[in-house]
Amino acid sequence: MFSHILKLIWNRKRNNALMITEIAIAFIVVLMISVLAVSNYRNYQVPLGYEWQDHWQISLGISGGWSTDTNRETLRQMIAALKSQEAIDSVGVVKEPLFFNSVWQSSTRSDDRLITFNANTLDDEAFETLSVNFLAGRAFDERDNGQGYRPVIVNQLFVDTYFSNGDALDKLMPGDNANGGTLPRKIIGIVEEFRQYGELAKPVPYVISRFDIATGHQPSAIVIKVKEGTDINYEQHLSTLLKGIAPEWHFSFVTLKSQRSQSIENELTPLIVLSIVALFFVIMVALGLFGVLWQNITRRTQEIGLRRAIGASAMSVHQQIIGELMMLAAFGILAGLVLAIQVPLLGLFPELDWFSFWVSFAIAVAVILSLSFVCALYPSKMATRIDPAYALHYE
Amino acid sequence: MIKLNNVNKTYFTDKIETIALHNISLEVETGEFVSIMGPSGCGKSTLLNIIGLLDKPNEGSITLEQENVEQYKEKQLAKIRNEKIGFIFQGFHLIPELRVIDNVELPLLYRKISSKKRRELALEALEKVGLSARSHHFPSQLSGGQQQRVAIARAITGKPSLLLADEPTGNLDSHMGDEIMQILEDLNKNENTTIIMVTHDDDEAKRTDRLIRVFDGQLIH
Ligand SMILES: Nc1ncnc2c1ncn2[C@@H]1O[C@H](COP(=O)(O)OP(=O)(O)OP(=O)(O)O)[C@@H](O)[C@H]1O
Ligand SMILES: [Mg+2]
C-alpha cells in the first residue's frame, strides 16, 4: 500500500505540488516558532546565578564626568550612607546593570587562541549583595590589593568553553592589552552563572573584573539588598538621602523583581505576537488542505467506487485517504527541512544550537502530522460512504 | 455457484420509485458462460451488481457457493468481491494516474500478498489479454480496445471463480469485440471460470452456454 500511495502521489504531482508547498511553508513557520520557544525554554532552565527577590537597582546619572575625584568621593559617601540604613543589608556596585540588554563584549588572545566573552565589573561586596553562587574560589577582597595580577571571576560556561581540562582556578590570562604591559588576569573564582541579561538570554562565557572606586570606569548602578518586607515607599526616603549627598546626580530606582519581569516581557512579547500570526497562518493552511482534500474526494468518486467494488473495505479506503495526506505531509516536511536545516548548517542564527533545532524539529513534525491527520479525518470518512454501484453507474 | 431467490430491487429517488428488478430467481452453475440481454434500462447492470454483491436487494436472498450472504458485513462482502469475483464494468474505470500494470494489480493490493507476487500475477493477466508490451503505459495512451483489455486483465488477475462482464464489447468495433469474446471463452474453457456477461449482440450471446432475457426488471423464459 505504501508504494501504491507513493505512485499515486507521484503521478498526481502537479495537483499535489501546491499542497506540499503549503505544508512545507506551514512546517517552516511551526518550526521557527518551536525553535524560539525551545531555545527560550532551555535558556530559562539555566540558573540565573544570583538573587533578585529583595533587591533594588539604583541607576546612577552622574553629572560632570565620572573621572573627577569629587564624583568618586561622592560615590564612596553614598555607599557608606546606604550601608548605614537599617533596612539595607548590603550594597554593591555594578558597571553594567542587571536585566538590561547592556552588553559589553571583550576578547583576549591566549596561546594564539582568541577568547571572547561578555564582561562586567563588580565591586567586592556586590557578590554578597546578590548572593552569587560560587563553585570554586572566592569573591574579590583585600588579598587582591597590590598584587602582580588583576583578579577576575568567570562563569562555569567560560571554563567549559576555554579550559578543555576544566582546570581554570588560579590560571592566568593575558591582560587587556597583551603587549602593553598591563597586568595579567588571574582567575580567582568560578561562579555557576551570572546572567546579566536575564533568564531568556542565551548563556555566554562571562568575565567579571574588580571594580575599584579610585581607578575604575564609570559604574552604572548600585545594587542593594533590602530587608524583607521593605516596600517601594522606601524609595522616597532613599531618594532624599542620595540627593542630599549628590544634588547634581540623577537616580532611578527599580526593584530587580520588576526589572526582571520587564525583561522577560520584552523577550516574550514578540514571540507571542509571532505565535498568534503563525497560528492564524497554520489554521488557514489547515482549512485549505481540508478543502482541497474534500474536493479531491468528490473528483475521485469513481476511483474510490472502483476500489470498493474490487474488494477494498471501507476501512482500507479510509486509511488510504489519510495515508495519502500523511505522505504529502511527509514530503512537505522534508522540503521544509531541506530549507530550514540551512540555518544551523550555515550558522545563520548563532543562538541556535543543534539540540534545540532537533527538539523543535520533532515538535514541528508532530504538529504538522497531527494537523494533517485531523484535516484528513472527515474527507476520508466521506470517502467511505461512496456507494460503489452508484459511483460506477455513471460515466 | 450462484442462486438468486425472488430478488427485488427498487431505487427511490426524488419521490420517483424505479423498480429495477422484480422477483428475479436465477441459478448459475459453476463453469457456465451465461449471457444476459435486454433493452436499455431494463435492469441488467443492476442484476449484475446484485450478483456481484455491490448492491443489496430490497427483498430476496443471494447464495454464493452455498453461502447465504444476506447477513454479511461490509468487510466480509469486500473480501468475497476481492477474492471470488472479477468485474468488467460497463465503462473501463481505469485509474488514469496509474500505469497499466498498477491498474491491473489493484485487486491484489487488497490481499495479503507480496509485491513481487502481485507483479507476477498482473503480468500473467496482461499476457492473457495480449498487452504485456503496454504494461508501463498510462491508460490515456491506449486505444479503447486496449483499455477494455486492461480492465479484463484487472478482473482476472486475482483468479476469480466468477467473472461479471457488463457489455465488455459495448464500446468496441466488431473485430475488437471478437478478440474480447475469444479471451472470455478461453478463460471459461481453460480455467473453468463462471462468466455472466451482459451484451447487446446476438452473435455474442449465441456463443455462450445460455441466454437470459430481461425485460422491465423481470426474466422472460
Ligand atoms: N443508483 C440508481 N438510482 C436510481 N435509479 C437507478 C439507479 N441505478 C439504476 N437505476 C434505474 O434502474 C433501472 C435499471 O438500470 P440499469 O442500469 O440496471 O439498466 P441496464 O439494463 O443496465 O441499462 P443499459 O443497457 O442502458 O446499461 C433504470 O431505470 C435506471 O434508471
Ligand atoms: Mg447497464
Side-chain angles (χ1 to χ4, degrees), chain B residues 44-45 90 166-167:
Chain B
K44 305 180 297 293
S45 295
Q90 209 166 344
D166 200 345
E167 297 189 36

Side-chain angles (χ1 to χ4, degrees), chain A residues 1 3-4 7-8 11-12 15 299 302-303 305-317 320 387-389 391-395, chain B residues 11 45 49 54-55 74-75 78-79 81-82 87 89-95 97-99 102-103 105-107 109-110 118-119 138 154:
Chain A
M1 200 36 126
S3 67
H4 182 72
K7 274 179 206 158
L8 277 178
N11 292 330
R12 286 185 186 134
N15 275 324
R299 196 168 50 77
Q302 272 197 28
E303 177 203 325
L306 173 82
R307 289 177 187 272
R308 294 300 301 278
I310 62 177
S313 61
M315 184 65 132
S316 71
V317 166
Q320 183 194 332
D387 173 17
L392 297 175
H393 192 267
Y394 299 98
E395 287 289 282
Chain B
Y11 289 110
S45 295
N49 284 346
L54 276 188
D55 217 344
E74 179 273 324
K75 203 171 170 176
K79 191 169 153 66
R81 285 202 297 271
N82 184 243
F87 286 98
F89 302 99
Q90 209 166 344
F92 310 128
H93 293 304
L94 300 175
I95 299 180
E97 293 92 350
L98 291 180
R99 292 174 193 279
D102 295 315
N103 264 292
E105 270 187 28
L106 214 52
L109 207 60
Y110 301 104
R118 281 207 298 267
R119 197 74 351 172
F138 284 97
R154 182 182 63 197

Side-chain angles (χ1 to χ4, degrees), chain A residues 27-40:
Chain A
F27 172 75
I28 290 176
V29 168
V30 173
L31 180 62
M32 197 175 77
I33 299 293
S34 315
V35 161
L36 291 175
V38 167
S39 21
N40 271 309

Side-chain angles (χ1 to χ4, degrees), chain A residues 222-236:
Chain A
I222 294 174
V223 179
I224 60 176
K225 179 172 190 290
V226 297
K227 291 233 155 33
E228 234 183 289
T230 307
D231 65 12
I232 195 71
N233 294 328
Y234 188 60
E235 174 188 330
Q236 197 52 52

Side-chain angles (χ1 to χ4, degrees), chain A residues 285-343:
Chain A
V285 170
L287 286 178
L289 286 184
F290 181 81
V292 171
L293 219 54
W294 181 303
Q295 196 195 334
N296 278 355
I297 300 303
T298 319
R299 196 168 50 77
R300 290 168 64 186
T301 302
Q302 272 197 28
E303 177 203 325
I304 292 162
L306 173 82
R307 289 177 187 272
R308 294 300 301 278
I310 62 177
S313 61
M315 184 65 132
S316 71
V317 166
H318 192 65
Q319 287 169 348
Q320 183 194 332
I321 303 297
I322 292 179
E324 281 180 22
L325 188 60
M326 294 313 257
M327 203 173 289
L328 283 185
F331 281 127
I333 287 170
L334 205 69
L337 178 64
V338 167
L339 288 179
I341 204 164
Q342 304 305 323
V343 174

